[in-house]
Each structure stands twice: as structure tokens, then as C-alpha cells.
Amino acid sequence: MPLTDTQIKALKPATKTRKYADEKGLYLEVAPSGGKWWRLKYRIGGKEKRLSLGVYPDVSLKAARTRRDEARALIANGVDPSAVRKADEAERVADTVHTFEAVAREWFEKERVDSEWAPGHASKIIQRFEKDVFPWIGKVAVSKIKPMDVLACCQRIYDRGAADTAYRAKQTIGQVMRYAVGTGRAERDPTTDLKGIVKKPKPEHFPSITDLDEVAALMRAIDGFKGTLVVRSALRLAPLFFVRPGELRGAEWAEIDFEREEWLIPGARMKGGRDHLVPLSRQAVQILKDLHPLTGDRKHVFAGRDPRKAMSDGTVNAALQRMGYDTKKDITGHGFRAMARTILHEELGVEPEVIEHQLAHGVPDPLGDTYNRTKFLKARRVMMQKWSDYLDQLREKGRRGTSSPSEGDDELVL
């Protein structure tokens, strides 16, 4: 006869474990300690097996019968419920271990080393994850990430006005998901479903000054800047070098070769991950030599308040703002690159390939060599000196009521 709740409650433990049958293979096992366990006896593949269905009274008689019926339905289809349970448990453990954050950090470390990321680039990637992604989906199993999960992360970023960051977040999440697929921890990349939804914003160019009258005024303003020698030196060198702001502020004395008049920026600090050579004009050498007595015993050329670190990444922009320039509309530290690119080509006639190499941009050629730090080096040395001289002339002459500094000069031949 099937068991009843009244019978089960009345069962007392004995000195040995006793079994009380219900029906269809279900029975209750009462241990000497008093514990009451639901078990299911079944056969599959010609073998007799048992499956635990829970403990009474946590699992009632009705619930035990429901679990029994679910297991029997699997058996009827040739599926072993014990194997299903083990698979479910393995998945639960995997979901706990293989969270999105765990897999993302694993991917990050692998890419950081394999791709030789510059420290600045690596820092941006992990900070984006920690600020905008991990708090929302970090604890979710990577195999359970849905398109809407990714979209919600991107929407939060977009809502604060950072459309470019939102798009980049989607890209890096996609890279992590493809890594998860490749390592057997996810079935697909959900970011593919967001194509056309999280769109790449139209590029916003850094504001720059290319009008010669305004460049002349800017050079005179820099010359009259009142600030520390470190900041003043960085501000004076920014237009001469026209490197990226992070490359400038991170300059180290060990990278400067006064004898060869060169600054070799290691690939680890470059956006493209390749060494970059900056020829030093006479003016640049003099500015660096004037600064050397102050910071030469430190690692960084432009040492910050903490002598172990470089000046902050907003220092040059802050100095421009103090001079009255709007860094959203007029000029930024990055804008010196566009200023040099435009004037060197349009006013001094420098070939674009030479300029692009000095900007550390990849320039494809027939041999597929997109960048070589020594390519056009002779021409680049001439160009960098001519550029410094030209800025000096602009500073002194301006263009108001006078001829252009380039008028009457010999053409720059490279």
C-alpha cells in the first residue's frame, strides 16, 4: 500500500536502517539517527540504480512523488536521471567558477601579455570593465550572458554621454565572449545581436589651431606662461614633438639621448605597441637640458608632485585653460598633432608619408611594411628642425602686417 503522511510521521528509528515502500520504485529510508530519506529505485541499461530525492519533511510525500514522476519520464526516454543530476551540478559549479568577470580577467591577462599592450591601453581596458561592466554582469555565468545584459551595460554608459566608451565596451565584451566560446565556456557571442543597435559614434576630432595668426598667438602665450618649470617645459615641447599626450607626459630620462639628439619611446608606451623615434631639434634639446638639473635624478622627465610618478594626464590641458584656451573648442594637448600635420604639409610642403611616420601612424607600402621607426629618418630630422624654426618665426613675426614666415624661405626639400 502507498504511504501516507500519517504513517510517515509515526515511523520511529530502529537500530538498523529500514525501508518503507511507496509505489513505482519510490521508498522512504529511515536511518537509526532518525533521518528520513526519499529514494527511487530504477533500472536503466540493464543495471539497477538508486536516486536520492530529498529528506522528509523538507520534501513532502507529494513533492517526492512529483520528483519520482519526473525521473521516471527521463528513464522512459532512455535518460539516466543520475547523469542529468551530475550534469546539472557540474553546470552549477561551472556557473559559479566561470563568471563573466573571471573569464574577462583571464582574457585580459592573456591579451595584455600576448599582444604586448602598452600600460596605458591595458589600464583603460581593465578600468572600463571594473567601472562599467563588472558591477552589472561580473557575477553572471559567462554562459548565461544575454544580448539584453550587454545592451543594459552599454545603455548606462551611453546615458552619461559617453557614446564612444559604450561602443568600446560592447567590443571588449564581445572579445571576452568569443574567448569564452573558444575555451568551451559559452556557446555564442551575444554581442553579434547588437549590431546596428550599439553603434560606433562618428569620430570627434580633437580641437586644434591651424590658422597661422592663431598659431603665432598660441606660441607667444606659451612663451609667457607662468607656471612651474616642469609644466612650462612640457607645454613648450608639446608642439615641437606633437606626440600623444600620454607619450609626452610619460617621457623618461633614460629614453633621451642627448648625444644622438633623439628620444626613443619604447613600444610599451606607444598606442601601436612599436618603438617610436623622435628626432630632437636644437630648441627641444635646450628645453630638456634646462629642465634636467631639476628632474634629471628622477625617472620621469616631467615628474609630478609624487617624484616617483609623472605629472598627471590633464596637466597640459589645464595649462592651456589657464592661458584662456577652451580645450573643448580651441586646442588640446592632442591637438598639436593636427596642427603640425596640417601646417607641415600645407605651408612647408612636407610629404604626407614623412609626417605620418613622425606621427607614428601606419602607412602601408608595396612591401606591407606599415611602420618602421627609422624610415624617412633623415627627412624627419630635417623636418623636425625646420618645424621648430618655423614656430620660432611665427612667435616672433606673427602674420599681422608681416609676411608669412615661409615667404622668402627656401623650400623644404625632403
Side-chain angles (χ1 to χ4, degrees), residues 332-372:
T332 67
H334 203 288
F336 288 117
R337 292 168 62 79
M339 183 177 83
R341 182 194 295 113
T342 301
I343 298 176
L344 281 168
H345 178 59
E346 295 183 359
E347 299 295 328
L348 300 181
V350 182
E351 292 297 324
E353 292 84 355
V354 177
I355 302 172
E356 292 302 306
H357 266 76
Q358 195 54 56
L359 288 165
H361 287 165
V363 183
D365 63 21
L367 299 178
D369 183 15
T370 60
Y371 176 80
N372 184 317

Side-chain angles (χ1 to χ4, degrees), residues 165-370:
T165 301
Y167 179 75
R168 291 177 185 275
K170 190 205 79 168
Q171 284 186 307
T172 48
I173 291 172
Q175 289 177 289
V176 172
M177 292 305 305
R178 290 189 289 277
Y179 174 73
V181 172
T183 54
R185 287 172 285 185
E187 292 295 324
R188 63 184 300 273
D189 169 18
T191 65
T192 58
D193 296 334
L194 300 179
K195 185 176 181 180
I197 299 177
V198 181
K199 299 180 181 179
K200 183 177 182 179
K202 293 181 180 180
E204 293 183 5
H205 298 291
F206 292 98
S208 183
I209 294 174
T210 56
D211 177 85
L212 297 187
D213 288 341
E214 294 178 12
V215 172
L218 173 60
M219 292 301 102
R220 290 194 293 272
I222 289 175
D223 220 29
F225 175 76
K226 305 298 182 183
T228 66
L229 181 59
V230 170
V231 177
R232 188 164 181 265
S233 298
L235 196 58
R236 292 175 66 195
L237 287 169
L240 301 187
F241 290 155
F242 50 88
V243 294
R244 298 177 181 87
E247 296 157 6
L248 177 70
R249 78 180 189 89
E252 299 179 8
W253 284 114
E255 301 166 0
I256 306 294
D257 189 332
F258 283 115
E259 185 175 343
R260 297 176 63 88
E261 296 185 339
E262 294 176 349
W263 171 25
L264 180 58
I265 311 174
R269 293 207 302 104
M270 292 296 297
K271 181 179 180 180
R274 302 165 300 204
D275 292 356
H276 180 54
L277 193 62
V278 180
L280 302 179
S281 65
R282 293 187 300 273
Q283 292 90 331
V285 168
Q286 189 58 55
I287 295 170
L288 288 168
K289 285 186 175 180
D290 288 344
L291 179 61
H292 191 268
L294 180 63
T295 65
D297 60 343
R298 301 176 186 177
K299 178 180 179 180
H300 295 97
V301 175
F302 308 107
R305 293 181 180 179
D306 182 341
R308 298 167 298 179
K309 299 179 180 179
M311 65 184 188
S312 68
D313 57 3
T315 301
V316 169
N317 280 354
L320 288 169
Q321 290 172 341
R322 283 179 57 187
M323 290 158 48
Y325 287 93
D326 186 334
T327 52
K328 292 184 178 180
K329 298 178 180 179
D330 301 327
I331 182 76
T332 67
H334 203 288
F336 288 117
R337 292 168 62 79
M339 183 177 83
R341 182 194 295 113
T342 301
I343 298 176
L344 281 168
H345 178 59
E346 295 183 359
E347 299 295 328
L348 300 181
V350 182
E351 292 297 324
E353 292 84 355
V354 177
I355 302 172
E356 292 302 306
H357 266 76
Q358 195 54 56
L359 288 165
H361 287 165
V363 183
D365 63 21
L367 299 178
D369 183 15
T370 60

Side-chain angles (χ1 to χ4, degrees), residues 38-50:
W38 291 112
R39 311 283 188 191
L40 175 66
K41 182 170 69 173
Y42 65 98
R43 296 185 70 86
I44 190 164
K47 293 183 179 180
E48 184 177 289
K49 305 186 76 172
R50 284 171 172 73

